[in-house]
Amino acid sequence: MRFSRYLFLLLLGFGFALVSRATTVLPPEFSELVGAAIQIVRGEVTAVRSEWCGAGDTHRIVTVVTVQVHRRIVGEAPDTLELEFLGGTVGDQTLRVDGQPHFRVGDRQILFVENNGQQICPLVAMMYGHYGIERDPADKSREIVTRGEGIPLRSVTDVSRPLAAPPPASVGSTARSLPAPPLSVESFEASIRSTAVALGRKDVQP
């Protein structure tokens, strides 16, 4: 059976709404991202493996990403999360799904998790549901948050900007304003918590 048929049948089983999500993902507003996530965690990728899963018409390749949870931000989460993504490579067989985020062992990230194991991607809005943690090139003692394409996040409003889109132009008639500094991990997490509280969530972690 061809992989295109595997993908079609699997997505059909998940429902037509997820077919749309697999092909075209609209950037969520920050509040939508926080509100939709079942778990929001900071962690480190410790393993990535691809394997066959299911049987018959739902026989497909999945990639399982193991994340050691360092901090729970919103929602309950175990010390170790195993996140299942549709797609990957096993031997000489490859199944690709557009919009899936990519992970490497050692990646440190903040993840917005929903419906793990029940949809093609266990992150809210697929590639918009994960943010890297890196050292600030201008201050190695400071950790900053990056978007899916590796560009520093400078405001939570940048969450709703399409990936790879240029940042908003500076406003000014005679001079351009300096860009805002990259958002620190602490500031991003504080914004997540305050937004979750404003949304009425009762599972915000200290």
Side-chain angles (χ1 to χ4, degrees):
M1 184 184 294
R2 297 181 52 163
F3 278 117
S4 58
R5 190 178 171 208
Y6 285 143
L7 181 58
F8 171 77
L9 290 170
L10 183 61
L11 293 179
L12 186 63
F14 283 135
F16 290 108
L18 289 179
V19 174
S20 176
R21 169 171 287 187
T23 54
T24 302
V25 181
L26 296 177
E29 297 293 332
F30 183 63
S31 60
E32 295 173 335
L33 191 66
V34 173
I38 297 172
Q39 300 155 322
I40 305 175
V41 301
R42 184 209 300 185
E44 180 176 344
V45 177
T46 58
V48 180
R49 71 179 189 274
S50 295
E51 59 192 24
W52 286 101
C53 180
D57 286 342
T58 63
H59 193 48
R60 76 273 188 193
I61 294 175
V62 299
T63 294
V64 179
V65 178
T66 304
V67 178
Q68 184 68 36
V69 174
H70 293 164
R71 176 166 295 178
R72 298 162 183 84
I73 304 171
V74 177
E76 298 292 337
D79 292 338
T80 301
L81 276 175
E82 285 201 339
L83 304 176
E84 183 181 293
F85 298 79
L86 179 66
T89 298
V90 177
D92 61 354
Q93 306 281 2
T94 295
L95 173 60
R96 293 187 178 89
V97 178
D98 290 341
Q100 289 283 41
H102 299 283
F103 298 88
R104 298 170 301 178
V105 172
D107 284 350
R108 295 181 302 136
Q109 298 186 335
I110 294 174
L111 303 170
F112 294 75
V113 182
E114 66 167 350
N115 302 327
N116 184 29
Q118 302 174 42
Q119 54 190 36
I120 64 173
C121 178
L123 303 181
V124 179
M126 297 185 76
M127 61 280 205
Y128 294 99
H130 77 117
Y131 295 84
I133 298 174
E134 298 181 7
R135 293 287 178 183
D136 187 345
D139 181 358
K140 297 297 184 181
S141 66
R142 184 172 180 265
E143 291 187 323
I144 62 173
V145 180
T146 61
R147 284 160 49 89
E149 75 277 69
I151 296 175
L153 194 71
R154 299 184 184 277
S155 167
V156 294
T157 59
D158 285 348
V159 164
S160 61
R161 184 165 50 84
L163 290 173
S170 300
V171 177
S173 57
T174 59
R176 303 177 87 188
S177 301
L178 293 175
L183 200 61
S184 70
V185 171
E186 293 77 13
S187 294
F188 190 53
E189 290 184 358
S191 294
I192 293 171
R193 288 190 175 93
S194 62
T195 299
V197 169
L199 291 172
R201 296 194 60 157
K202 305 299 184 183
D203 55 352
V204 180
Q205 303 299 311

